Amino acid sequence: MTDTPVTPLLDKVKIPADLRKLEPSQLRQLADELRTETISAVSVTGGHLGAGLGVVELTTAIHYVFNTPEDRLVWDVGHQCYPHKILTGRRDRIRTLRTGGGLSGFTKRTESEYDPFGAAHSSTSISAALGFAIANKLNNKPGKAIAVIGDGSMSAGMAYEAMNNAQAAGNRLVVILNDNDMSIAPPVGGLSAYLARLVSSRPFLSLREVAKRISRKLPEPLHIAARKTDEFARGMAMGGTLFEELGFYYVGPIDGHNLDHLIPVLENVRDAAEGPCLIHVVTKKGHGYAPAEAAADKYHGVVKFDVITGKQDKGPGGGPPAYQNVFGETLAKLAETDDRIVAITAAMPTGTGVDKFAQAHPTRAFDVGIAEQHAVTFAAGLAAQGMRPFCAIYSTFLQRAYDQVVHDVCIQNLPVRFAIDRAGLVGADGSTHAGSFDVTYLATLPNMVVMAAADEAELVHMTYTAALYDSGPIAFRYPRGNGVGVPLPEVPQRLEIGKGRVVREGKTVAILSLGTRLAEALKAADTLDAKGLSTTVADLRFAKPLDEELIRRLMATHEVVVTVEEAAIGGLGAHVLTLASDLGLTDAGLKIRTMRLPDAFQEHDTPQKQYDEAGLNAPHIVDTVLKALRHNSAGVEEVRA
């Protein structure tokens, strides 16, 4: 636990209204203290650090210039919002970030009036801000909408879809492009800062409008030439032609860490009669904290760390490998003897393990940016041309490409392989990143095969099985975090499609497990056996197609059948119930119970606590069985003896 830093000026700022009482000359100190407090808080909690450090000055300037919360501030993704939370009445809870009952790591409507729109997935901010702006316009209410979006989020088409429709908002909409990767503009200096102030000023904007009106009265060739001259002048100096074509007044680029540059430009845009405006701000991730600036990932996501040294507390070394790395290394090895294998990820190479594949096969690895829709259809095109594409996307992000999965992959029965990371509950990132729905939304699709790995060895087998499966689309899911410690197979096994395995034989109770709840199912079986209830545990492996032969046998020979999955309603349990109904297997009084995630968005906490809350750990499985048999725990052993 680090000492709380000394922050005399920040101590006076509880909400943005307090910030606006300060003199401009005090803002530099305020920003420095805000950065220090952010570093201190995240050193205790872990979380996203680099992005927040990059927007400390920008956060300060926005809340100083605009009248939040009446002016609606929408952060894209939201992982950069920790300084924003400190300034908006949540400093006293900032050291509860991402812990059970504490602050969310993203913006959240139920948490504060200063979070008008929740986020965690990218590229939604401009659409949402446009909604706020148009609503105020239609209701003749004051208030602007400010969207802050990173250059990485601009790789998603949704941002441009919103911008293409933004002109109707007029001056009520302000978009701030936070360019923190130097991918759009070169370093900026005094000249560009002067130009930004100039072109955002009311005289310049008004002069441009006069010029446009005059040019419209000119003969067409001269009108076109005048327009191009205006655009070329600004484009040559500032690079804003694309945004101008989308209907925005472009301002920038400006130094996002220089408050003397930021404040006057934001004030000009706030007071402009014209709009919408796009302000191009250049920042650096991790700015102001040397260990973050020196790190390759700019401390994007960190565990607890020492503020002085920057050393992260990653715990003891060794232990089972992370599932994502098992996938990436297995795929890289398979690709050594199969040049048709390619890997695709949507801006998450490290998180999905595709970075391991890319190191070994750089020409066959594709990071398409935050563009899941494109990733899926790109994979479909590769598959149609005879390649074996693996589309590695988090469960929660694959939701963004569902139409492409249906229309471009499944209807055409193209053999795209979906490696679905972060399946099930994910802990500190909470409901926005939980992989709750993929079994339901994939297993309902014709032609789709859906697998779930019970452990890291099974993941190796499923990766190999998917590589060899050319009959149509196939998906396999696996959780966040490390494996359970089973040995990895030297030679992968090709699984028979639609066939599960019996891990433990019994006579009275059958537990049908899908995915990594297998370990809890086996613990439950131990407890049930001790109570005199002989228990079979099956790892079904496949949610679709189901192992009908195995399921029929277990239903015919056991009194109670319980399905267990780390997925929402409509998944394995629903498919097993449908099968039992279709085959009349419940007509003779068989007791079937389905255990799945609750019909709710669960808050962030540790995975263990989340699964306790969901009722999917071993004691809950035991309780479900006992209730199905109408026995209380104390009397079971005697009844069954």
Side-chain angles (χ1 to χ4, degrees):
M1 185 73 72
T2 57
D3 294 330
T4 303
V6 178
T7 54
L9 202 55
L10 184 61
D11 293 346
K12 299 177 182 178
V13 176
K14 306 301 180 187
I15 57 174
D18 300 325
L19 172 66
R20 292 190 278 271
K21 295 174 184 176
L22 300 179
E23 295 297 323
S25 59
Q26 296 177 287
L27 295 182
R28 179 68 267 166
Q29 179 186 338
L30 187 282
D32 291 342
E33 292 179 9
L34 179 58
R35 176 171 282 106
T36 301
E37 173 70 348
T38 301
I39 294 167
S40 173
V42 180
S43 75
V44 173
T45 65
H48 293 101
L49 181 61
L53 295 182
V55 297
V56 165
E57 289 81 7
L58 181 60
T59 304
T60 302
I62 291 170
H63 282 298
Y64 187 74
V65 170
F66 289 96
N67 187 33
T68 53
E70 184 177 80
D71 289 333
R72 300 298 203 173
L73 174 57
V74 182
W75 294 95
D76 205 87
V77 182
H79 62 307
Q80 74 281 64
C81 71
Y82 301 174
H84 160 79
K85 294 198 176 199
I86 292 171
L87 290 179
T88 54
R90 288 169 277 184
R91 185 185 181 187
D92 60 340
R93 293 184 289 151
I94 199 65
R95 287 166 179 77
T96 69
L97 274 168
R98 295 161 49 88
T99 61
L103 294 178
S104 168
F106 305 98
T107 53
K108 192 172 183 179
R109 278 175 56 83
T110 57
E111 196 175 279
S112 170
E113 64 178 333
Y114 292 93
D115 292 359
F117 201 79
H121 292 195
S122 88
S123 315
T124 62
S125 60
I126 303 176
S127 296
L130 178 59
F132 285 116
I134 294 295
N136 280 344
K137 181 179 179 181
L138 292 174
N139 291 304
N140 199 29
K141 289 183 177 180
K144 294 182 181 290
I146 306 104
V148 182
I149 183 169
D151 58 305
S153 293
M154 295 296 286
S155 64
M158 186 175 174
Y160 296 95
E161 293 169 18
M163 293 176 73
N164 192 45
N165 286 276
Q167 204 160 12
N171 67 347
R172 291 176 178 271
L173 177 65
V174 177
V175 174
I176 299 175
L177 171 57
N178 175 33
D179 179 4
N180 60 23
D181 204 25
M182 307 304 287
S183 59
I184 297 177
V188 296
L191 175 60
S192 61
Y194 167 76
L195 288 169
R197 286 198 300 273
L198 174 65
V199 302
S200 65
S201 66
R202 181 169 288 177
F204 186 87
L205 291 171
S206 300
L207 179 64
R208 283 179 58 199
E209 283 305 305
V210 171
K212 284 182 179 179
R213 284 198 294 271
I214 294 172
S215 71
R216 290 188 196 110
K217 297 178 181 178
L218 296 172
E220 185 65 18
L222 294 178
H223 166 54
I224 294 172
R227 188 183 72 212
K228 287 184 176 178
T229 299
D230 175 64
E231 289 179 354
F232 177 73
R234 285 175 294 102
M236 181 176 64
M238 295 168 289
T241 304
L242 168 64
F243 303 115
E244 296 276 353
E245 288 295 332
L246 289 168
F248 280 78
Y249 289 85
Y250 172 88
V251 180
I254 58 175
D255 183 351
H257 301 298
N258 189 324
L259 287 162
D260 293 333
H261 294 175
L262 278 174
I263 298 293
V265 168
L266 289 177
E267 289 176 337
N268 283 343
V269 168
R270 178 196 63 194
D271 299 334
E274 298 77 11
C277 288
L278 183 139
I279 307 170
H280 181 175
V281 175
V282 177
T283 63
K284 293 181 180 178
K285 274 188 174 182
H287 181 75
Y289 184 50
E293 290 181 342
D297 67 350
K298 306 302 179 188
Y299 277 35
H300 173 76
V302 297
V303 295
K304 298 177 183 180
F305 63 93
D306 181 272
V307 172
I308 303 300
T309 65
K311 184 179 179 182
Q312 298 186 52
D313 179 15
K314 296 190 176 180
Y323 280 100
Q324 67 216 46
N325 293 335
V326 172
F327 162 70
E329 291 167 5
T330 300
L331 191 64
K333 188 173 182 181
L334 294 174
E336 292 173 3
T337 56
D338 188 344
D339 58 10
R340 290 175 293 172
I341 291 176
V342 296
I344 303 162
T345 185
M348 302 298 289
T350 304
T352 59
V354 169
D355 61 333
K356 309 292 184 186
F357 182 92
Q359 290 166 10
H361 310 284
T363 62
R364 287 189 273 159
F366 301 92
D367 182 353
V368 301
I370 303 172
E372 291 86 359
Q373 294 172 309
H374 162 61
V376 171
T377 304
F378 173 43
L382 286 163
Q385 193 61 13
M387 301 299 284
R388 286 176 162 171
F390 280 76
C391 205
I393 300 178
Y394 289 7
S395 170
T396 187
F397 296 144
L398 188 58
Q399 294 163 186
R400 297 164 66 101
Y402 190 58
D403 180 65
Q404 286 69 30
V405 174
V406 176
H407 182 269
D408 299 337
V409 176
C410 288
I411 289 178
Q412 302 187 96
N413 199 33
L414 291 169
V416 174
R417 291 91 176 152
F418 293 97
I420 302 176
D421 204 328
R422 274 38 173 198
L425 302 175
V426 295
D429 282 335
S431 60
T432 58
H433 283 61
S436 306
F437 308 113
D438 56 274
V439 174
T440 300
Y441 69 65
L442 292 178
T444 194
L445 298 176
N447 296 328
M448 179 67 78
V449 173
V450 181
M451 301 183 283
D455 55 45
E456 58 268 44
E458 284 288 296
L459 179 55
V460 172
H461 298 321
M462 289 180 182
T463 304
Y464 179 59
T465 301
L468 298 178
Y469 186 76
D470 293 319
S471 300
I474 189 168
F476 52 103
R477 72 191 312 253
Y478 44 97
R480 179 181 187 172
N482 296 338
V484 298
V486 299
L488 295 178
E490 297 266 339
V491 179
Q493 173 189 349
R494 184 175 187 175
L495 304 178
E496 185 178 353
I497 300 299
K499 291 296 180 183
R501 58 177 178 143
V502 173
V503 181
R504 173 178 180 146
E505 288 278 9
K507 297 178 180 179
T508 305
V509 178
I511 302 174
L512 310 184
S513 176
L514 181 72
T516 54
R517 286 298 92 189
L518 180 63
E520 295 298 314
L522 289 169
K523 290 178 190 174
D526 287 339
T527 302
L528 290 167
D529 268 11
K531 295 179 180 296
L533 294 169
S534 176
T535 302
T536 296
V537 177
D539 172 19
L540 286 186
R541 285 177 167 159
F542 292 83
K544 185 178 183 182
L546 290 173
D547 189 340
E548 293 191 15
E549 181 183 353
L550 175 60
I551 293 170
R552 289 180 70 162
R553 178 171 69 82
L554 294 178
M555 286 184 172
T557 56
H558 293 73
E559 293 182 35
V560 179
V561 173
V562 178
T563 67
V564 185
E565 61 188 307
E566 299 158 326
I569 190 169
L572 173 71
H575 286 264
V576 169
L577 280 173
T578 300
L579 174 67
S581 173
D582 289 349
L583 299 179
L585 298 177
T586 58
D587 297 353
L590 172 70
K591 297 177 176 66
I592 303 178
R593 300 291 184 269
T594 64
M595 300 183 68
R596 69 269 170 196
L597 294 176
D599 186 22
F601 292 107
Q602 290 182 246
E603 299 291 344
H604 54 279
D605 210 323
T606 64
Q608 174 68 27
K609 289 182 180 178
Q610 286 183 319
Y611 281 116
D612 264 336
E613 180 187 322
L616 288 177
N617 285 327
H620 308 105
I621 300 173
V622 171
D623 189 53
T624 297
V625 170
L626 298 181
K627 286 179 179 176
L629 289 169
R630 294 185 175 87
H631 292 310
N632 59 51
S633 182
V636 171
E637 194 164 349
E638 289 76 9
V639 170
R640 289 286 156 197

